Each structure stands twice: as C-alpha cells, then as structure tokens.
Amino acid sequence: MKHTIKTITCIGAGYVGGPTMAVIAQKCPEIKVNVVDINPQRIAEWNDTDLDKLPIYEPGLKEVVKEARGRNLFFSTEVEACIREAEMIFISVNTPTKTYGVGKGMAADLKYVELSARQIARIAPEGKIVVEKSTLPVRTAQSIKTILEAEGNGNKFQVLSNPEFLAEGTAITDLHNPDRILIGGDQDEDGLAAIQALVDIYAHWVPREQIITTRLWSSELSKLTANAFLAQRISSINAISALCERTGADVDEIAHAIGADTRIGPKFLRSSVGFGGSCFQKDILNLVYLCRHFNLPEVADYWEGVVKMNDYQKHRFAKQIIDSLFNTVSGKKIAFLGWAFKKDTNDTRESAAIYVAKELLDDLAEIHIYDPKVKKEQIFRDLEYVYSQDPTQSFDPSVLQSLITIHEEPYQALENAHAIAILTEWDEFKTYDWQKIHTRMLKPAFVFDGRNILDASEMKKTGFEYRGIGKG
Ligand SMILES: NC(=O)C1=CN([C@@H]2O[C@H](COP(=O)(O)OP(=O)(O)OC[C@H]3O[C@@H](n4cnc5c(N)ncnc54)[C@H](O)[C@@H]3O)[C@@H](O)[C@H]2O)C=CC1
Ligand SMILES: O=C(O)[C@H]1O[C@H](OP(=O)(O)OP(=O)(O)OC[C@H]2O[C@@H](n3ccc(=O)[nH]c3=O)[C@H](O)[C@@H]2O)[C@H](O)[C@@H](O)[C@@H]1O
C-alpha cells in the first residue's frame, strides 16, 4: 500500500526534533510538519519572533526556521491534536540513562518513549507510521509495536527506526548533507511500503544511494554502534595522550601520522579533556547493559573501557591542575574558558567542564567561568546536579554560590587568576590578547589547554606555564 504523507508530527522539540523537523519542512514545502512538546516554555521559545531566542543555538538554524516556520513548520503543545492529524509520527523524546531501579546508571530510560507510544495508540483514529528518531536499545521497536497493538483500538501501525546522526554545533550542515540516512523496518509488504514513504521524504534532498534501508534491529543497533565507535576513537587517542605526557611524544603529531593511513582516517582523533555531550556515555552504557543482559560479559567489559578511559582523562586533567598548583587549589582563582561540551553549541550535558569543576571545588578552588553561549543558570544547574549524584558528599548550595562566579566577558574572568583551564574549543579563545592576559595573571601563570587550541611555543614565549593534552 503506497502512503502519501501530507502531515508529519514529531513528538519532542529538543536538540534533535527541532532542527531535524525544521530541515524536513524546509526541504519538503508540500508537507505540513508539526513539532510538539509537553514543555510549554520550549515551544514558546521555538515560536519567539526574536530568532535569537530559539531554545537551542546551532549555526544556520535561525535561517531554516525563518524560512519554514508559519509556512509548513509549526511548534505547538497540542500533542493530541497533532497526533490525530499526522500520517507519520516521529518520536524524538529524550532517552537518558536511568537514575533509578533496575538498570540504574546503565540502561536507557524509555519511559518517555513508552508514554508517547501509549498516547499515539490511545488517540490515533487510524493506523499510522511511527518512526523512532530517539536513540533506542535494539529491539525497542518490538515493545512499541506491542503497545500500539495492545492499546491501538485495532488499528494497524508500522514502526520504523530512523536514527539521527547529526552532531551538535554542525546540526544544520549535517542534516543538509548527511553521510547517510538509515531507515529500518519490517521486510514484509506493509513494512516496505512504510520504509518507502520515509525514503520519499528524504529523497527530496538526499541522493538515493545515501539512503540505507535495513531490517529494524540492524538500524537500531547501528546507531549505538556508530556512537560507540566514535567515542572509542577519542578514548583511544586520549589513552595515548597519557603515554605521550610520560614519554615526550606529541599526541597531535601522532594523530596526524596515524590519520594519514587511509584505513584509520584523520577525523575524530583530537585528544581532549574528555568527550562530553548527552549521547556518547549514555549510549555506550546502554550498549554495555544490553551486552550484560544477553550474557556477553566480555563484550560489555570491552565497551565499558571506553567510558572508564574518558572518566580517567577528565580526572587526570583536574589532578594535573591541582598537582601543578603546588598540590592545592584551595582559595585560588581558576578561570574556566568554556563550559559547553564542544564549541558552537549551548548544550552542556555531560560536559567535561562539569566534572573538572567538581574535582577542583572539592579542593575548594574559586572558579570563574566564561562561556560565550551558556547561561549562568545552566552552569549552576549542572553543578547542583553533579553534587546531587555524589552520595559521599553532603551538598550545601550556598558554598557553590560563594565559590563560583560566572562572567559575561572573558578578560574579567581571567584577571588575577592563578590558572586558566580551557574546557571548550571556542574559536574566539584563540583570538584573545594572551600577552595582556599574562600581565594580569598571578605568576607563575598556568594555562591548562584541555583542547590543544593554543600555540604551545607562542604561549611559552609569552611567559606562560603552558600545559597541553598529550604534549610530552
Ligand atoms: N542531542 C543530539 O545531538 C542527538 C540526540 N539523539 C537522540 O535523540 C533523542 C532526543 O535527544 P535530544 O533532542 O537531545 O533531547 P532533548 O531533551 O533536547 O529533547 C527531548 C524533548 O522531548 C520532550 N518530551 C519528552 N516526553 C514527551 C512527551 N511525552 N510528549 C511530548 N514531548 C516530550 C521533552 O520535553 C524535550 O523537550 C535521544 O534519544 C538522543 O539520544 C540522537 C542524535 C543526536
Ligand atoms: O547521538 C548523538 O547524540 C550524536 O553524538 C555525537 O555528536 P555530538 O555529541 O553532538 O558531538 P561530537 O562532535 O561527536 O562530540 C562529542 C564529544 O567528543 C569530543 N571530541 C570529538 C572529536 C574528537 O576528535 N575529540 C573529542 O574530544 C567533543 O569535544 C565532544 O565533547 C556524534 O558525533 C553524532 O553522530 C551523534 O548523532
């Protein structure tokens, strides 16, 4: 049965739902695209006439929203009405690591996905194509199908898996020029027709040979595997960075040398203070949990090593700061450049900065933070959350208020600092007047470059005690 898709609804107006649907609306002007969310503030921000107030910062996003919003792109809290109206429904809700009960700290929390599936089943007047856009454990489509069939008033639903591979900070270019689109579905006649309906949407702008279609389980597991491989590369180069620091080798030279091998390739070999972001850790832990569930402990341990290495890298960075500052940072001003988990985003989820800050705060450092895009309230929320997760510590928020200062402007944050730590690779940090900064710091003036973005020899010439990652 051929489907003609006239209306799409996406449940979840977050970092994925918002930009992905904006681009579908931009490229398919004849399709009406509704993006719905239970968070009214988020929807109000998506609808703000001032495009600088969109809830997420992504280069190029404003332009896409400006073109499509009000034409065929609509943001709304009317979840039920929009479910009724659409022939195809994307589920793009959050799937964080579980913080309670069975699988706590490891498994993906699927409660928002389940709620969405139940809501669709309950109110959809007829069968729909339901598309998993969220990252999900392999075989989740089966659970969604079971719910849809059990609660769906006899309607027939098709479930597709269409994982998203965009990276934050480059979301719009990734969506406009994806390496591939992946669509998994049942291989019977109805399943293939549903796959074709989604292929037809992407084919508006993605060459057909870049649209890969697979069975459901392969598509779901490809997403977890892709993130695990990407994160593994970072942990691998970071492991080597530790050895470089002991031996006098330079990790950037090594990355260049090995990346020239076409079998390895040059991308994703930037050694850093550790990977952050909402997904790498969550998705690997989810993979580890699945492996244990299927009684594959060796496979689970293998992938868990990627996360352990990342924790080690963040800890190593914080420890190096404390060790270099004569074994204590108590009462010392440490300036943080950057709080976001990478440049060109205001997202701070699992940012390495949070964990480095916590270790320094535990040693009573006074931390001054400047990030060009992250809001003050978000930084406090991140720190309060990380303390709330540490059962060994009683948490007094007033201490946090007295030890943390957030700056709207970088030079004040750096003035009279004992040390500067670069946590995010924002381009603007490279353009600062480092000579001026040096004169205004306490001496010895330490710079811990967690992103290797500054020129080590220039910094040393200026008089800094400069420490890069993996620089022997
Ligand atoms: N952030 C990223 O770069 C990427 C994320 N993903 C995956 O996409 C999924 C979504 O991630 P994000 O967009 O980052 O999450 P997010 O937290 O930014 O957005 C999720 C949204 O869903 C809404 N929501 C939750 N339950 C709802 C319900 N029942 N009805 C309506 N709205 C509901 C929340 O209010 C929130 O606004 C996750 O599974 C994630 O792993 C995949 C690729 C990239
Ligand atoms: O599933 C997801 O959420 C997404 O996760 C990552 O995207 P994202 O986390 O947005 O950003 P990345 O560019 O992958 O960076 C992740 C972290 O790794 C760090 N990183 C990246 C690359 C590198 O060489 N070194 C390094 O330390 C970044 O600074 C950042 O903290 C993947 O790149 C996307 O393909 C995927 O869709």
Side-chain angles (χ1 to χ4, degrees):
M1 167 187 140
K2 184 166 163 45
H3 299 274
T4 313
I5 306 297
K6 296 201 201 89
T7 306
I8 287 173
T9 286
C10 174
I11 305 178
Y15 282 86
V16 168
T20 309
M21 292 302 129
V23 167
I24 290 183
Q26 181 195 32
K27 299 291 185 184
C28 310
E30 80 284 11
I31 299 178
K32 181 177 177 194
V33 180
N34 299 311
V35 191
V36 296
D37 205 291
I38 40 173
N39 180 340
Q41 195 196 332
R42 215 165 205 189
I43 291 298
E45 287 168 355
W46 278 112
N47 282 324
D48 205 306
T49 45
D50 179 355
L51 289 167
D52 286 322
K53 299 222 172 93
L54 294 182
I56 63 179
Y57 171 71
E58 273 296 336
L61 176 63
K62 274 197 291 194
E63 290 73 14
V64 178
V65 171
K66 190 170 171 210
E67 185 182 332
R69 196 177 61 187
R71 179 188 72 185
N72 63 327
L73 173 67
F74 303 93
F75 295 94
S76 144
T77 50
E78 299 292 321
V79 182
E80 299 207 344
C82 291
I83 288 175
R84 277 198 201 94
E85 191 189 1
E87 295 91 29
M88 181 178 273
I89 300 166
F90 285 75
I91 300 180
S92 188
V93 299
N94 34 330
T95 51
T97 303
K98 265 186 102 178
T99 53
Y100 56 89
V102 176
K104 178 180 172 181
M106 298 296 288
D109 191 342
L110 299 181
K111 73 174 168 226
Y112 307 108
V113 173
E114 185 183 332
L115 279 171
S116 302
R118 286 189 189 279
Q119 199 171 18
I120 295 168
R122 212 176 52 245
I123 60 172
E126 70 274 309
K128 313 259 179 197
I129 300 174
V130 176
V131 184
E132 300 174 338
K133 186 51 112 176
S134 299
T135 301
L136 296 169
V138 53
R139 298 193 77 89
T140 304
Q142 186 57 57
S143 314
I144 294 180
K145 266 189 212 170
T146 307
I147 292 169
L148 292 171
E149 273 159 25
E151 285 209 25
N153 309 315
N155 292 323
K156 253 184 106 30
F157 292 87
Q158 281 298 320
V159 179
L160 300 178
S161 157
N162 171 221
E164 184 49 58
F165 295 100
L166 68 80
E168 289 179 29
T170 53
I172 299 301
T173 40
D174 292 345
L175 288 164
H176 280 161
N177 309 295
D179 286 346
R180 80 312 209 177
I181 295 292
L182 178 58
I183 303 171
D186 282 340
Q187 300 296 304
D188 58 12
E189 197 184 335
D190 290 345
L192 291 170
I195 291 175
Q196 189 57 44
L198 189 50
V199 168
D200 290 343
I201 290 171
Y202 284 110
H204 280 71
W205 76 99
V206 182
R208 182 62 188 86
E209 60 278 11
Q210 278 163 246
I211 306 176
I212 301 171
T213 59
T214 64
R215 288 156 211 279
L216 264 174
W217 317 140
S218 309
S219 172
E220 289 178 329
L221 190 52
S222 295
K223 173 64 193 176
L224 292 185
T225 308
N227 273 358
F229 269 58
L230 289 168
Q232 180 202 46
R233 277 175 77 93
I234 303 170
S235 278
S236 298
I237 198 73
N238 281 345
I240 297 300
S241 78
L243 189 56
C244 286
E245 288 167 29
R246 294 282 164 88
T247 57
D250 181 319
V251 77
D252 289 333
E253 289 180 350
I254 293 176
H256 181 65
I258 64 167
D261 184 326
T262 52
R263 292 168 304 172
I264 296 175
K267 291 187 183 164
F268 250 72
L269 288 177
R270 265 181 297 112
S271 187
S272 68
V273 55
F275 60 74
S278 61
C279 293
F280 279 172
Q281 172 168 307
K282 151 178 99 65
D283 291 347
I284 295 174
L285 292 177
N286 185 4
L287 187 65
V288 170
Y289 183 76
L290 281 171
C291 294
R292 297 232 160 92
H293 172 79
F294 288 108
N295 196 22
L296 297 167
E298 289 80 2
V299 185
D301 292 349
Y302 174 75
W303 287 111
E304 197 167 29
V306 173
V307 174
K308 283 190 181 156
M309 182 52 61
N310 197 49
D311 289 340
Y312 170 67
Q313 189 76 349
K314 291 181 275 190
H315 166 68
R316 227 164 58 74
F317 187 76
K319 187 167 180 307
Q320 189 192 28
I321 297 177
I322 299 173
D323 289 350
S324 305
L325 274 85
F326 317 106
N327 227 13
T328 178
V329 286
S330 171
K332 293 180 182 165
K333 176 171 177 179
I334 313 291
F336 272 32
L337 286 178
W339 190 260
F341 81 97
K342 62 184 281 196
K343 73 172 180 179
D344 291 339
T345 177
N346 61 345
D347 194 349
T348 64
R349 290 177 288 181
E350 291 299 327
S351 178
I354 303 170
Y355 297 91
V356 173
K358 179 165 183 307
E359 286 207 35
L360 300 182
L361 288 168
D362 287 347
D363 204 64
L364 301 178
E366 291 175 13
I367 304 185
H368 290 243
I369 301 163
Y370 168 73
D371 185 289
K373 289 286 175 207
V374 179
K375 294 197 181 124
K376 178 177 177 174
E377 307 78 57
Q378 184 59 47
I379 296 177
F380 279 104
R381 268 201 298 273
D382 292 336
L383 286 168
E384 280 161 23
Y385 179 75
V386 81
Y387 272 96
S388 74
Q389 296 300 300
D390 182 351
T392 64
Q393 298 222 342
S394 60
F395 171 62
D396 175 359
S398 65
V399 174
L400 207 54
Q401 294 287 343
S402 68
L403 292 176
I404 295 282
T405 312
I406 317 289
H407 293 265
E408 301 278 315
E409 182 281 332
Y411 288 93
Q412 259 183 2
L414 306 177
E415 180 124 7
N416 286 327
H418 290 76
I420 297 171
I422 299 175
L423 276 308
T424 313
E425 72 281 23
W426 287 103
D427 290 333
E428 68 168 68
F429 300 160
K430 293 187 237 174
T431 67
Y432 289 176
D433 183 343
W434 285 98
Q435 182 66 61
K436 179 167 126 189
I437 292 166
H438 182 260
T439 27
R440 295 184 181 182
M441 282 177 69
L442 299 187
K443 309 294 175 321
F446 286 96
V447 170
F448 300 92
D449 186 351
R451 298 291 183 162
N452 287 348
I453 55 170
L454 300 176
D455 182 324
S457 58
E458 279 298 315
M459 292 297 283
K460 284 179 188 160
K461 237 192 278 164
T462 310
F464 285 105
E465 287 292 328
Y466 175 84
R467 309 273 189 273
I469 300 274
K471 305 281 175 183

